[in-house]
Amino acid sequence: MRNILLIASLALFTTAGAQNTNGYQTPPKAIADLLLAKPTPSISLDKKATWMLIMERNSYPTVEELGQPEVRVAGLRLNPNNFSPSRQNFINGLKLKNIKTGKESSIVGLPANLLAGNISWSPDEKQIAFTHTTGSRVDLYVLAVEKAIATKINKTALNATLGPVFSWVNEGTLLYTTITQAASMMPKRPITPVGPSIQESAGKAAPSRTYQDLIRSPYDEEAFAFLTSSQLVKNTNGIETKMGSPAIYTSFEVSPDKKYLLTETIQKPFSYLVTAYSFASRVSIQDMNGKTLKVLANLPSAETTPSGYDNVQPVPRAFAWRNDAAATITWCEPLDSGLIKKNMEYHDAVYALSAPFNGQPSTVVKTKMRFRGIVWGNEHFAWVNEGLTGKQLQKASRLDPATGTVETLFERNTTDAYNSPGSPVLTRSAFGRPVIDLLSNDRLLMNNPIGSSPNGDLPYLAEFDLKTKKQNILWRSAPGTYEAVVSVLDAENLQVVTRRESQTEVPNYFIQNLKSKTANQQITAFVNPYPALNGVTKEKVKYKRADGVDLTGDLYLPKGYDKTKDGPLPLLMWAYPREYNSAADAAQVRGSKDRFTTLSWGSPIFYVTQGFAVLDNAEMPIVAANADAKPNDTFIEQLKLNAEAAIKAMSDMGIADPKRVAVGGHSYGAFMTAHLLSHTNLFKAGLARSGAYNRTLTPFGFQAEERTYWEAPDLYYKMSPFSYANKIKTPILLVHGEADDNPGTFPINSERLYNAIKGHGGTVRLVYLPYEAHGYRGKENLLHLLWEQNEWLNRFVKNAK
């Protein structure tokens, strides 16, 4: 990476009259205080809601923390000093609360400067395991809940680079992966390479999307193998026992009866085209001593996966234990050679094989769409999911595993939010594994924590009758609040835990009985971390675009604003385009005006404190014109319609000054912003963060577009803002993380667009944020980002001449 990207301050590109700075800047205090407010804690409950773990996080790490050693290889970003991902969000504080007594307890034995992760309750829920990461190693702690004492249980440092890191077997036994060599033994990159890096294709098609941080040389292969190779260890009451030989584990899962282990390990040769989780691998069943009992599959690299949504490799996939059986493994195989367009009744088949795994697999079910998984219930009931991404379809069926009988429960468009039924409520099987809680009279509960409706999102809990295939809503969030069920304690008696919030109420948790409607027991008392936003108003606004499609957005207005006295405000519009095959689905209301405003670093809501009206989540649907068309066929035209409708609606309300409007977005929203500035004169400025502006750099598809560049070259040209850089005369602020890890949004996108706009005399500024990936994290970088955006908005929008 070029030196200009690695300096401690930001690379600033100036033109006459541009913002000139040296080093990091900070935004106005109101914005800085909102960004750095301590986040509201999160919680984790046991199944009986007796104990609650309260987890606290700090706001953001420093840029110095981001700048720790990092190896970028095989699509991974790893810290070579401690064998763990280099970019993680940690828990910095843990407390326990006895819900029945209300008593909170500090935990004895927690390490200093806690950096915890991977929280996991033991099967009997009397213990909680978690990892703690330092600069030199990752350790595993077990917290005895009733005693509130945490103890480190591992002797050898964990290897947390891949896979699940650890897994409970029973109350006294955990499995985890450990390092096999000290960090000091990592191979050094040779000054003189052993030879050139060479790739060769022998005639097999290998279309692949663009990925970052791939293996590029023999040294990268060596470094990848060193960092990811691990030893699987069984720890029983503090005694570590090695299981088998070292390998590169991507997964390991204990069978429900605790007698077997399903593993997947990466095999050589390593791919130079795809990321680690798509490398060639071996799926095996082992006993609990690490001996391989059966190799289920030797899977090739995913390089040869056919392009196009819903196409898959002609190999087994989706290996998993059946949760309601002692030791039965299931997997799926395509019946269409992996090509969904083949005309056949069934496209996938699911197979099963039970211990001792030496018989012939039995067919569990066949699906007419792509298999999307099974949620097991009991020997006579399972919930089968299938779907088609390209056609935006989802189907759920009832399966009797004993007879093979299949009955469709429902089929819907995945974009039809109003008719989303939610998910079945789960319980624990006799083996302690999650299964559907099947109630009497062939009923089950469905929990919908979103509950989209014409009145906005209103979460609900419903009863689904498997005989009539109809759903009856038993409880729904009351208007004026947003309350969702987060845990069902007793399905028959409707004893639940809910999370409740409103525009003015911070999210808090309650235990209540929905059947008897007894008084709620509030179990948390979190307070507002953003007092500066008190008085800011929020409204879900509805409007139409010129072709009749209904649109919505979340409108925020400054504290004390009175349009009669204060007049129209400058407007910041923030959006992210989404594709739909149905105009009716695109017109549905999404989101809720009654949610508490929570700020992340990327939110546009900060600027409501600076006198702006903010239209967040402004709907930008891109709709297919008919059944034979694709949404992107009229992408630009529909962007214009969406933007024109939003500005007109805000102007007609008397809220916004149509001559002082800015538009912004992140990733695909940045892509949208560049297009709007090159094809319209609606805006005074644009904010574009970490976008992709040249679609020829993603030739095998992008977003929901499955056509390749060679199938639709004109589309790729038209959908590249770079093609119209000469038309971008509206001031645009380009921001990019110099270490962007997202497929398709290479930092060169912003660099080349900046050069093109500058070369044609446009007003543009490019800011590279050191060490940042696709999502930004460093405190100094975030403060500077908010300063850059604020200065740009003030200069070109709020104070525009």
Side-chain angles (χ1 to χ4, degrees), residues 116-319:
N118 303 295
I119 303 293
S120 176
W121 292 79
S122 63
D124 65 357
E125 299 194 318
K126 293 181 179 180
Q127 301 172 92
I128 301 171
F130 61 90
T131 55
H132 169 62
T133 302
T134 68
S136 60
R137 60 186 287 145
V138 178
D139 289 308
L140 183 61
Y141 281 72
V142 170
L143 165 62
V145 174
E146 291 190 0
K147 295 180 180 179
I149 297 176
T151 306
K152 183 171 81 73
I153 68 164
N154 64 299
K155 295 180 177 64
T156 309
L158 273 61
N159 187 323
T161 54
L162 286 171
V165 186
F166 72 87
S167 175
W168 286 97
V169 178
N170 54 43
E171 288 67 34
T173 304
L174 291 106
L175 304 182
Y176 48 84
T177 48
T178 64
I179 64 173
T180 58
Q181 299 182 72
S184 60
M185 300 299 292
M186 181 170 171
K188 305 297 182 185
R189 183 183 294 275
I191 297 175
T192 303
V194 296
S197 297
I198 298 172
Q199 300 180 57
E200 180 178 344
S201 176
K204 287 187 177 180
S208 63
R209 296 218 167 185
T210 51
Y211 297 104
Q212 313 260 20
D213 307 328
L214 297 177
I215 287 178
R216 302 183 187 280
S217 69
Y219 171 76
D220 286 349
E221 295 186 55
E222 192 178 3
F224 170 74
F226 175 85
L227 289 170
T228 58
S229 294
S230 63
Q231 174 65 58
L232 189 60
V233 168
K234 177 167 60 176
N235 185 314
T236 302
N237 299 320
I239 305 298
E240 290 185 339
T241 305
K242 293 181 179 180
M243 298 177 63
S245 301
I248 302 176
Y249 289 93
T250 58
S251 67
F252 57 89
E253 184 184 4
V254 181
S255 63
D257 66 0
K258 321 294 187 186
K259 295 180 180 179
Y260 305 97
L261 194 64
L262 173 65
T263 67
E264 184 170 4
T265 56
I266 288 176
Q267 305 295 309
K268 290 184 176 181
F270 303 143
S271 173
Y272 282 45
L273 286 179
V274 295
T275 58
Y277 285 99
S278 296
F279 284 4
S281 66
R282 177 172 296 150
V283 181
S284 306
I285 296 176
Q286 300 178 6
D287 65 19
M288 293 306 291
N289 293 315
K291 179 183 177 182
T292 299
L293 302 177
K294 186 177 184 65
V295 174
L296 293 170
N298 285 303
L299 302 175
S301 157
E303 289 181 9
T304 57
T305 302
S307 64
Y309 286 116
D310 304 307
N311 289 333
V312 298
Q313 287 181 294
V315 298
R317 67 184 195 275
F319 290 88

